[in-house]
Amino acid sequence: MNIIAELRHDFPVLSQSIEGQPLIYLDSGATSQKPQSVIDEINDFYSKNNSNVHRGLHSLSENATSKYEYVRTQLAKFLSVNSKEVVWTSGATESLNIIASGLTCDLNSQDIILISALEHHANIVPWQQAAQESGAKIAIMPINKQGILDIPAAIAMIEDLKPKVMACTHASNTLGNINPIAKLIDAAKKVNAITVIDGAQAFLHLRPNLSQLDCDFYVGSAHKALGPTGLGFLYGKFKKLNALSVFKTGGEMIDKVTYESSSYREAPAKFEPGTPNISGVLGFGAAINYLNKLDPIVLHQYEQTLYSYCLNQLQAIDGIIIYGDTQNNIGTISFNYRDEHHYDIATLLNSYGIALRSGHHCTQPLIAELGIQGTLRVSLAFYNSHNDIDTFITALKSSIKLIAG
């Protein structure tokens, strides 16, 4: 674990102070911090290699193109898939929009789109749009009072409704629940449903093997996995990916253009029009390199130890209410203190240098099902420490004391 402690020094933002207090960053679910190697890679591109990709024969362009496509290969290997099945997008949100939009023309009024009650708005609203345009119906896989997906009920819905699409998060951004998506994917495959998995929260903590999961589509965001903002990926089985209708048009994704008509290239180019986020891709490559040098088992064990330590400390405070699955969790804790507003506590915690999230976390339907207005959310990563937790708990107790008067 001493090796883990040393990794913290790779993240320059963690050394600063907020409100005169050392920064305690507990908001990695919103965006992870970036190691210096990622920052250096982005700076290096703009200072030494800045050029467009796939367009020039000069050395700068060829070097940029080579590095850009190498990162696609890196990510494909990380996910255990073929590089032709990896599309660069602006983030998980755009990836889900590409899938939903691309499937709309294949949906009709007899079709069911099945999603879970845990979904981020990005895995709800695109399906609502698809349903409105196609006439398809949306059904919801239920959760229990604690906010845990009811797996027997979900599988029964898959078997009974035989949905055209089953879309589900791998891990909840609000509660941290790890869903048993292998079971859901297996059930969905038996009824020939298209499976779409939101892996934005799971990618960093679970390192999914997509060949084993055998889902049709899987999406993620670089910035939640040590990489830069404004970049994400869309994985799709090659035939399923190419069967999607075009989402955006422009240069690079075309095969031939005349004034009368156009034809398009195969994936992944089909979904990558215009100049891409080149620096973002290269920065994400540095993030993947960083992760590849670390033992995933050691990191996972450390994160789970840290999570348990934080959970136990919170549960020891009278009046704390914790939501979600505390047994199968990526390291995220959503909680409230009695009936106090989460915003007030978060504001006080900020004065102690504690950075965490408060609100509905872009999961308004989930929050409504839990019968609350929102939560405070602690989302951990391997660069956090036990000292971070101790400082947070001390600040929380002080904040509660101030509020309770």
Side-chain angles (χ1 to χ4, degrees), residues 117-243:
L118 292 166
E119 301 310 308
H120 188 283
H121 296 164
N123 206 21
I124 298 175
V125 181
W127 300 115
Q128 290 176 340
Q129 292 289 100
Q132 289 170 12
E133 293 179 24
S134 66
K137 306 294 188 298
I138 293 178
I140 311 299
M141 293 181 282
I143 55 174
N144 64 19
K145 292 181 180 180
Q146 191 63 20
I148 303 172
L149 191 62
D150 186 333
I151 298 303
I155 292 177
M157 289 183 75
I158 293 171
E159 294 172 345
D160 294 342
L161 296 177
K162 296 178 174 55
K164 185 68 173 286
V165 178
M166 191 279 293
C168 184
T169 183
H170 195 166
S172 168
N173 72 296
T174 296
L175 305 177
N177 302 0
I178 301 172
N179 288 321
I181 57 169
K183 292 182 180 179
L184 298 177
I185 292 168
D186 184 60
K189 286 171 63 178
K190 290 178 181 177
V191 298
N192 296 315
I194 297 168
T195 51
V196 180
I197 307 300
D198 177 1
Q201 296 294 326
F203 182 92
L204 177 63
H205 304 286
L206 303 181
R207 304 202 186 189
N209 183 318
L210 300 191
S211 291
Q212 290 181 357
L213 285 178
D214 199 28
C215 55
D216 294 312
F217 297 99
Y218 195 98
V219 308
S221 291
H223 76 98
K224 295 182 188 294
L226 312 186
T229 57
L231 179 76
F233 68 86
L234 159 59
Y235 158 77
K237 290 182 178 178
F238 193 65
K239 288 185 178 180
K240 294 286 178 69
L241 196 56
N242 273 303

Side-chain angles (χ1 to χ4, degrees), residues 99-118:
I99 300 167
S101 175
L103 291 174
T104 298
C105 62
D106 296 324
L107 298 170
N108 60 54
S109 60
Q110 303 303 309
D111 291 327
I112 301 292
I113 301 168
L114 186 62
I115 64 175
S116 87
L118 292 166

Side-chain angles (χ1 to χ4, degrees), residues 279-292:
S279 64
V281 170
L282 300 188
F284 192 30
I288 295 171
N289 280 337
Y290 186 92
L291 288 171
N292 281 336

